[in-house]
Amino acid sequence: LILGVGQGTFALALVWAVVVLVLILFRGSAKVFLIAFAAIFAAGMITLGLALAPRESDTPSASQRPTDGTVVGRNVLVAVCSVTAAACLLLLVLTHLTQPLRAKPLTHRS
């Protein structure tokens, strides 16, 4: 455990940080929408894989009492990652939709 949370939580934070970095680096590219979609999709698949992977035995022994002292930390970290991903996706869509359209010169007929 690192700071009361497991390694998977830090792996998720790292994956989403890399996604944000990719979105920042490729924001001026012409293929930014495809790159951003691929990065967010890959991070989502990794998140689902880590969330659904078995962590420990589901049957505790009789001497163990099922407690989870890190549930708040994990939920806060997942919430922060989700809000960050949603904000990045919103900013990507807004910047993609608000690209300026250049005016073309009018042709005059005499």
Side-chain angles (χ1 to χ4, degrees):
L1 292 177
I2 304 170
L3 297 175
V5 294
Q7 296 88 357
T9 308
F10 280 100
L12 284 178
L14 179 67
V15 164
W16 285 105
V18 168
V19 167
V20 170
L21 184 67
V22 165
L23 291 176
I24 290 171
L25 289 178
F26 289 106
R27 67 181 170 179
S29 174
K31 298 178 183 179
V32 68
F33 193 73
L34 181 62
I35 292 170
F37 179 75
I40 291 172
F41 181 75
M45 290 295 112
I46 292 171
T47 301
L48 281 176
L50 286 175
L52 298 176
R55 291 177 282 281
E56 291 181 1
S57 174
D58 289 339
T59 57
S61 66
S63 65
Q64 292 178 340
R65 202 174 100 182
T67 59
D68 190 5
T70 61
V71 68
V72 174
R74 281 196 311 252
N75 287 339
V76 167
L77 193 55
V78 168
V80 168
C81 288
S82 299
V83 168
T84 303
C88 289
L89 187 60
L90 178 69
L91 288 174
L92 172 71
V93 169
L94 287 177
T95 56
H96 182 68
L97 292 177
T98 59
Q99 290 179 352
L101 297 175
R102 303 290 180 205
K104 296 180 182 175
L106 296 174
T107 57
H108 291 92
R109 292 185 182 172
S110 333

